[in-house]
Amino acid sequence: MARLIVSLCPEDRPQWIQRLVFMLVCGNADAHWKNWGVIYTDRRHPRLSPAYDLVSDVVFDYDGLALTLGGSQRFEDAKPARWDKLARALDMDHAELVRVAREARARAEAVWSQDRHTLGFDAREVALVERHLLRLPSWA
């Protein structure tokens, strides 16, 4: 998928990484190929489509990523140290990929921390997302 983004709309690489990170943070275990797309707003040049189907599946007892990341489908294995292949596929420096990912994670976690009780989750769902966040590895 990363190679497709590079070949079709390389300028959208940071946004693609941000969405990938959001899916990790929110616990979206169902981000299949069909959940990513491009759009031809000018009928000639593809761009990353608006985001859709962003769901925290961990509240429904789904577990594990739909696609592999760093050779694993486990959220616990989502470690930047394992993203060399992803960096190459994105034609990016590994350090730049990690920087973009860390910033996106910090933003997503800050919003969750501030607004988790106003996002429409009940107390059980909030607890499930909180448990999910604890199992994500540190990216420090």
Side-chain angles (χ1 to χ4, degrees):
M1 186 181 313
R3 284 190 294 273
L4 283 173
I5 292 299
V6 170
S7 67
L8 295 174
C9 45
E11 64 275 16
D12 292 333
R13 284 179 291 189
Q15 186 178 18
W16 184 84
I17 295 165
Q18 292 165 2
R19 289 187 198 177
L20 176 66
V21 168
F22 178 79
M23 290 184 186
L24 291 171
V25 171
C26 81
N28 186 338
D30 192 41
H32 294 277
W33 279 89
K34 66 179 177 57
N35 299 111
W36 300 85
V38 296
I39 189 167
Y40 292 80
T41 57
D42 66 358
R43 298 181 181 244
R44 296 192 65 207
H45 302 97
R47 297 298 307 261
L48 190 60
S49 71
Y52 57 93
D53 202 16
L54 303 178
V55 178
S56 181
D57 295 311
V58 296
V59 303
F60 302 113
D61 290 329
Y62 287 87
D63 196 27
L65 299 167
L67 301 171
T68 60
L69 177 63
S72 176
Q73 289 180 286
R74 293 170 29 97
F75 284 104
E76 295 87 343
D77 293 336
K79 300 173 186 174
R82 299 176 65 136
W83 297 351
D84 291 333
K85 184 177 177 182
L86 178 59
R88 284 190 306 274
L90 288 168
D91 195 24
M92 288 181 77
D93 179 73
H94 185 266
E96 178 66 7
L97 166 62
V98 173
R99 183 191 66 74
V100 173
R102 282 182 179 146
E103 289 175 2
R105 181 175 179 172
R107 282 192 310 274
E109 289 179 346
V111 169
W112 174 257
S113 178
Q114 178 180 326
D115 297 329
R116 67 181 167 266
H117 297 294
T118 63
L119 295 172
F121 291 96
D122 63 30
R124 181 190 69 81
E125 294 166 339
V126 167
L128 288 169
V129 173
E130 294 285 335
R131 186 178 78 195
H132 165 73
L133 288 170
L134 290 174
R135 73 181 173 161
L136 288 178
S138 170
W139 294 357

